[in-house]
Amino acid sequence: MTVYLVGAGPGDPGLLTVRAAEVLGRADVVIHDRLAEGSLLDLAPAQAERIDVGKSPGGPIDQEAINTLLIKRGQAGETVVRLKGGDPFVFGRGGEEAVALTAAGVAFEVVPGITSAIAVPAYAGVPVTHRGLSTSFTVVTGHSRHAVDRDTNWDALAAARGTIVILMGVAHRAEIAARLIAGGLDPATPVAAVRWGTRPEQVTVRTTLADLGATDMEPPVTMVVGGVASLALSWFESRPLFGRRIVVTRAREQASELSDRLRSLGAEAIELPVITLEDPADGGAGMRRAAEQVTAGRYEWVVFTSARAVERFVPLLRDARSFGTSRIAAIGPGTGQALCRFSLAADLAPPEFVAESLVNAFPEGPGRVLLPRAAGARDVLPDGLKAKGWRVDEVEAYRAEMGRASEDALAAAASADAITFTSSSTVTNYLEVAGGGSVPPVVACIGPVTAGTARAAGLTVDAVANEHTLDGLIAVLVDRFAARD
């Protein structure tokens, strides 16, 4: 039995440590607080229990109840992850939890996290130390009046002339500023106040100690006091999609690639998987028979239209040699990359990533073509190949079923800045799940086929990728929002 006291970092899921991801991946139960980034919970096994013990600011925190819960679940022999914002030992009450676990004889491990005291200033472009401005920094809490009145020596902090990083001090910012000025700091001392630091909704306010009390702000805020706060080495808030909230409608297994790229450009990715990828209706029997036919040399061509079809079909073969003299055609770079992972290369890849382009590029028959693909896909490809004299054997590689979403996820999607559609089924399924009145103001589609489906459904399509790839979709989003700004 082990309880892991894990620091989730300040908000950006990319700041989670490797060790934290490892223990989350084998958790039986995750006991998390309010500031833990929600997407991190997806790193835990699907069957893991998730318990929210977070409290809103100003509400009483029943730490004893949390300690009791940790002890109980730890004594039950479960792998328990206590996921806490920032670092568990930096104003995170992790020390209190460790004391309680020690007294109960429950084994525990501390997994440090990146504290907001360092990460948030960095994301705001404020180094906590800088030659000529500050050679030291101190981290203090302004959470309670006790900290302002008795627990912190503000006079000593003012006299030290280093950087002061204040966490949880919004409610007492006027008193804190007054104490520091009384201790000798210049009222004109720069202050950088960063709300929701490291997240797409990050906002940085520049002020001075004299004006800090009158400056509007709401928690959670990290305040940096000192000469370094005059620096504005902006990088995070300068990203091209910073602050934009963009809905990703791809299946959960596929969403992370697009979401990660959007986040790298500063956006908040709202994952609303309206598709679930399921096994073929026949349990894969048709694909297994088709794999035997490929090995026996019965096909001149095997055509793949998606990475998912490659991933479902190729493992049924012994290895790449099973293709023998069969040639391979693939639509799109994602499909080509999937083939590369199996040491395969496409003999034919059309210049445009749509079925019509492959039909145009395909040679004349006769012969046999195997087409493993999603159930219910468009008939353009098989019909076009048949018209060229080929016998086409379609085999169901997977089924794209309608996904479901929570009310919270639907509300988040409805209030987003943009929505991305990567296939016709994402369009129809989203409208079925969320309704036409819940479409964000900017609709972006990966290609003309998807855009056609959206328009047929009554949507106004604002952006269509010139290159029908994820990179093309992201590029057109960047262009669209740059034009708006």
Side-chain angles (χ1 to χ4, degrees), residues 233-253:
L233 309 175
S234 179
W235 61 275
F236 182 60
E237 294 179 34
S238 300
R239 292 181 172 184
L241 292 177
F242 177 76
R244 302 296 185 180
R245 305 175 72 241
I246 300 174
V247 182
V248 175
T249 55
R250 303 184 92 197
R252 188 169 300 279
E253 300 95 324

Side-chain angles (χ1 to χ4, degrees), residues 282-353:
D282 65 358
M287 279 205 300
R288 289 190 290 273
R289 288 192 298 269
E292 293 173 358
Q293 294 288 301
V294 169
T295 302
R298 304 290 174 79
Y299 290 103
E300 279 72 32
W301 286 90
V302 180
V303 177
F304 295 104
T305 60
S306 69
R308 192 67 176 174
V310 173
E311 293 161 357
R312 290 294 184 103
F313 181 76
V314 175
L316 299 176
L317 303 171
R318 179 181 177 185
D319 55 34
R321 293 171 296 181
S322 297
F323 280 93
T325 59
S326 298
R327 287 178 289 178
I328 299 172
I331 297 179
T335 307
Q337 290 165 8
L339 287 168
C340 285
R341 289 194 289 271
F342 292 101
S343 300
L344 296 167
D347 299 284
L348 175 62
E352 296 180 13
F353 312 138

